Amino acid sequence: MTKFVVTGATGALGSRIFKNLIRLVPASDIIMSLYNPSGATEDIKSSGVEVRRGDFGNPSTLDSAFAGTDKLLIVSYPSIAHELRVKNHIAAIDAAKRVRVKHIYYTSLAFASDSVATVMQAHIDTEAYLKQSGLTYTIIREGIYSESWPLYFGYFDPSEGKDEVLIPYSDGKIAWVCRDDLGEGTAKILAASGYENTTVLLSGDKPITLLEFAQIASRILNRDIKLRVVSEDEYFKNNLGKQSEELLRAWATTYKALARGELEKVDPLLKNLLGRELRPVEVTLKEMLDAQVGDGGKEATARYAK
Ligand SMILES: NC(=O)c1ccc[n+]([C@@H]2O[C@H](COP(=O)([O-])OP(=O)(O)OC[C@H]3O[C@@H](n4cnc5c(N)ncnc54)[C@H](OP(=O)(O)O)[C@@H]3O)[C@@H](O)[C@H]2O)c1
């Protein structure tokens, strides 16, 4: 019998991992380590899994949250504050070591190992720390959420009526993948044996450029959405007010990574794990536009702004 402990299960990715894990292993073998146990979702409450308090910022809670378990899934802490983010991940890895967890799974991101994107740097540092921890590890590089397109697509908000999307540095391909598919694939890796001391990539299978994305959005909206590569300053000017300058400057480095092809890598693993076709980004985009939840990246960036 393998005991699992999962962090971040109230979040966008973690809730989907939980939903799938509970179908694969008995509820009695799963523990939810929640930052805020009183915020446990109905899905968690009704599942019968044990809930414990585990706050990355309070390491002693992590010891008790992870105690007596074999496999720990650390869902990365959502923030652009590099030091805080790495500190939180290290706290979880150290606690796992203290209470003798056997195998740590860490949700990293799909950028390259030598990425120039600011958002990847905390993952690179965490991956390095995990590899030298002496614990068995699996690093799961999660592909770019299809649902996060407004962030990459110049904070596009269809309700503003603007037909021009400005990005800095460069266009490039992204192998988008939806959160439902990532949640299912991640749960399957967690429940399986193997994947020891490896780094895997869960990606979409049809990378497209932002220009191609603009063409798809144009068809869905019946508008002519144009993409223009501009200077960093023009990008900032266009988006100031939507985000802090710190966040915009950090985010602009993503487009330098796009120029290097960092997000176009495709790995068949996710499709093989799911045993079906992945949901195309067009489908998620249409759903979001139809439901008018293209919010100019507000929801997605609010998480990073911590
Ligand atoms: N692959 C992509 O394209 C992509 C896109 C966006 C973000 N991400 C990253 O992927 C990771 C997961 O994203 P997500 O969308 O699931 O984020 P999310 O919805 O914001 O969920 C984050 C989770 O972390 C928990 N948490 C917050 N503070 C904590 C603390 N001090 N100790 C322990 N847990 C804490 C939250 O609990 P509460 O609900 O109690 O606050 C929540 O369950 C994040 O690192 C995020 O930055 C990836």
Side-chain angles (χ1 to χ4, degrees):
M1 179 191 66
T2 303
K3 279 264 185 197
F4 298 80
V5 58
V6 176
T7 75
T10 53
L13 180 64
S15 59
R16 290 165 168 89
I17 296 171
F18 167 69
K19 191 176 130 193
N20 285 283
L21 187 63
I22 195 98
R23 293 177 182 147
L24 299 169
V25 302
S28 53
D29 292 343
I30 306 176
I31 291 158
M32 293 287 116
S33 168
L34 294 189
Y35 164 62
N36 171 22
S38 64
T41 57
E42 278 313 313
D43 277 356
I44 294 175
K45 283 190 213 155
S46 62
S47 66
V49 301
E50 183 183 345
V51 173
R52 298 180 184 170
R53 176 162 178 259
D55 176 0
F56 293 145
N58 187 346
S60 66
T61 64
L62 299 175
D63 287 40
S64 41
F66 302 164
T69 63
D70 304 291
K71 292 185 173 189
L72 161 67
L73 173 73
I74 303 173
V75 173
S76 59
Y77 178 73
S79 173
I80 55 150
H82 181 106
E83 279 173 29
L84 173 66
R85 202 174 197 194
V86 177
K87 191 173 154 222
N88 281 343
H89 300 156
I90 286 178
I93 295 165
D94 287 349
K97 202 168 176 175
R98 283 193 297 273
V99 301
R100 301 182 198 286
V101 171
K102 294 194 186 79
H103 191 153
I104 298 188
Y105 298 74
Y106 171 71
T107 66
S108 183
L109 198 55
F111 288 85
S113 298
D114 62 348
S115 181
V116 294
T118 299
V119 71
M120 187 62 190
Q121 302 311 311
H123 293 295
I124 290 172
D125 289 355
T126 305
E127 289 185 4
Y129 192 84
L130 185 53
K131 285 181 182 171
Q132 62 76 51
S133 69
L135 293 167
T136 301
Y137 67 85
T138 304
I139 292 162
I140 304 172
R141 291 203 174 155
E142 307 279 350
I144 300 305
Y145 297 171
S146 301
E147 293 84 350
S148 67
W149 63 265
L151 265 181
Y152 294 80
F153 200 49
Y155 299 96
F156 180 70
D157 180 348
S159 67
E160 285 177 355
K162 289 186 191 161
D163 283 347
E164 196 171 57
V165 170
L166 307 188
I167 58 165
Y169 296 115
S170 171
D171 189 5
K173 287 189 176 182
I174 300 176
W176 304 96
V177 55
C178 75
R179 294 187 298 209
D180 282 345
D181 288 349
L182 288 174
E184 186 176 340
T186 302
K188 285 186 168 161
I189 290 175
L190 192 57
S193 55
Y195 300 102
E196 277 131 2
N197 301 326
T198 54
T199 300
V200 298
L201 171 68
L202 298 183
S203 73
D205 59 349
K206 292 184 188 70
I208 56 168
T209 61
L210 291 170
L211 180 62
E212 289 167 310
F213 191 92
Q215 289 158 355
I216 297 167
S218 296
R219 280 198 297 277
I220 295 171
L221 291 168
N222 200 21
R223 283 161 55 178
D224 185 15
I225 316 287
K226 297 207 164 49
L227 186 83
R228 190 153 65 88
V229 177
V230 295
S231 68
E232 199 177 288
D233 279 351
E234 196 175 346
Y235 174 72
F236 290 145
K237 250 187 263 157
N238 192 50
N239 292 303
L240 262 179
K242 290 184 179 169
Q243 290 305 328
S244 67
E245 185 161 346
E246 185 200 2
L247 197 72
L248 284 171
R249 285 200 183 277
W251 192 249
T253 60
T254 299
Y255 298 87
K256 293 183 178 174
L258 281 191
R260 301 172 82 222
E262 288 191 30
L263 296 180
E264 69 178 48
K265 204 169 156 193
V266 168
D267 192 295
L269 175 62
L270 183 58
K271 205 163 144 180
N272 291 340
L273 282 166
L274 271 48
R276 58 169 169 76
E277 292 299 316
L278 304 179
R279 188 187 305 154
V281 66
E282 289 90 321
V283 174
T284 305
L285 176 61
K286 183 159 181 357
E287 270 172 18
M288 289 174 69
L289 290 174
D290 287 350
Q292 299 197 318
V293 292
D295 67 349
K298 289 188 199 77
E299 187 235 321
T301 47
R303 287 202 295 268
Y304 281 123
K306 285 185 198 170

